[in-house]
Amino acid sequence: MPAKNNVTGSSERGNEELIERLHDLMDQAQRTYQPMITSFLTPAQLMCAVTYIGRRMTYTYGGGYAGAEHCRLKLFPPYTEVDEDFQIVLLKARLHPRYDKITHRDVLGAMMKLGVSRDVFGDILIKEDALYVYVAKHMADFFMMELTRVRHSSVKLECCDEEVIHEAKYEEFHPIISSARCDAVVSACAHISRAKAKELIQRGLVKINHVILEQCDRICNNMSTISIRGYGRFVFVEISHTTKKGNFVAVIRKTRWGRRRDGRKI
């Protein structure tokens, strides 16, 4: 039976229930010599899970396509072959580009109204003419039968074996910052003052790599994902060069749908 760690890490705080489930799955995998699969995990939960498991057991994870945010994690006991069958089914519904104007929020709301838990389905992708949803295999028939309407649009979900390629859309900009401290980077991302950035951090409204940021003076590493509630999601790519005055030119990418609280696009 795997030893149980004390839950003290910042990524584990608030995820005690997840740690308990992981501990039970690891124990079950070792007792039965069968791989075990978690439900869909958020990016923060996945980071917590990977940190908790460490090197104690072989694992892999996936969400149905390259770059998926919500993933299932699979645990392998010793001497078992590693595979990437995560028991995920891709469902697709055709949309009429002219009439079916639905959003990610519309689809998420319609699915949650069915009385299911958020962890039985993964990412929702909306293309111009189709809706794609990754679901746990045991829930596929349920969603195909019960999810027939999203907002004002009728939908018919069907199993799909397409390989969906999803590339996040972003815009890149190059602000000048005084340092790579997180409060300075948050200020540059959201186009707000340093004091306002510190306030957002202190209120727990900023996440770095899906974990709530607790220290304003923490250094932001390259390729860190920054989520600022009310302002959007960004990626701090790197510092490209230094100015003559000793400041830094940062490379930051923002999702194209990010908006400020005043409604203006950022």
Side-chain angles (χ1 to χ4, degrees):
M1 183 172 179
K4 194 170 182 178
N5 289 351
N6 291 326
V7 181
T8 56
S10 61
S11 66
E12 296 175 349
R13 193 174 301 121
N15 285 309
E16 290 83 1
E17 186 176 332
L18 170 63
I19 296 299
E20 290 285 350
R21 293 206 311 267
L22 285 171
H23 181 76
D24 290 344
L25 286 174
M26 292 169 69
D27 179 37
Q28 192 173 349
Q30 290 188 343
R31 285 189 292 102
T32 64
Y33 291 97
Q34 295 292 326
M36 295 292 154
I37 306 176
T38 68
S39 53
F40 282 96
L41 304 177
T42 66
Q45 289 174 328
L46 182 61
M47 179 178 293
C48 172
V50 168
T51 301
Y52 177 76
I53 296 168
R55 297 182 178 181
R56 292 184 294 163
M57 183 169 284
T58 302
Y59 65 87
T60 185
Y61 56 84
Y65 70 100
E69 288 200 357
H70 292 81
C71 296
R72 302 188 79 178
L73 186 144
K74 192 168 187 177
L75 300 163
F76 299 90
Y79 312 113
T80 56
E81 185 176 351
V82 176
D83 63 68
E84 295 194 348
D85 178 9
F86 299 105
Q87 298 293 295
I88 296 174
V89 172
L90 174 60
L91 301 181
K92 174 184 179 180
R94 297 188 181 280
L95 301 177
H96 192 292
R98 184 174 179 181
Y99 301 110
D100 296 326
K101 303 297 184 181
I102 61 177
T103 66
H104 181 281
R105 180 178 294 181
D106 294 331
V107 180
L108 178 60
M111 297 181 76
M112 295 302 294
K113 284 180 180 178
L114 297 176
V116 301
S117 170
R118 179 62 183 90
D119 61 8
V120 299
F121 61 95
D123 287 2
I124 300 168
L125 304 178
I126 300 177
K127 306 291 185 179
E128 184 176 352
D129 61 350
L131 156 69
Y132 297 91
V133 185
Y134 293 86
V135 305
K137 186 175 181 178
H138 71 279
M139 293 295 293
D141 289 341
F142 172 83
F143 283 120
M144 286 190 289
M145 182 179 300
E146 299 296 333
L147 188 63
T148 59
R149 194 165 192 82
V150 176
R151 202 180 175 191
H152 305 304
S153 300
S154 296
V155 296
K156 180 176 175 56
L157 289 173
E158 297 177 326
C159 289
C160 172
D161 58 2
E162 295 179 22
E163 182 178 351
V164 179
I165 298 176
H166 179 69
E167 296 181 358
K169 298 179 181 179
Y170 63 84
E171 297 173 359
E172 187 172 288
F173 63 109
H174 306 88
I176 295 175
I177 57 178
S178 59
S179 75
R181 281 176 42 138
C182 285
D183 56 352
V185 175
V186 168
S187 171
C189 287
H191 299 285
I192 56 178
S193 68
R194 191 86 168 258
K196 179 64 174 179
K198 289 181 178 179
E199 178 188 341
L200 293 177
I201 293 170
Q202 291 167 353
R203 291 171 58 194
L205 302 180
V206 179
K207 293 183 179 181
I208 301 289
N209 295 327
H210 313 291
V211 177
I212 293 177
L213 176 62
E214 297 178 343
Q215 297 175 308
C216 293
D217 59 354
R218 171 179 160 184
I219 298 299
C220 192
N221 296 323
N222 290 352
M223 299 309 297
S224 291
T225 298
I226 305 170
S227 299
I228 309 171
R229 188 179 301 178
Y231 294 86
R233 181 179 296 181
F234 308 80
V235 175
F236 177 71
V237 181
E238 63 179 351
I239 290 177
S240 61
H241 60 277
T242 306
T243 68
K244 292 181 179 179
K245 294 184 177 181
N247 291 317
F248 305 98
V249 178
V251 179
I252 295 176
R253 294 173 179 172
K254 60 183 177 182
T255 54
R256 289 177 59 182
W257 49 85
R259 292 185 178 274
R260 293 165 50 151
R261 284 197 180 275
D262 57 14
R264 286 186 290 159
K265 191 175 180 181
I266 58 176

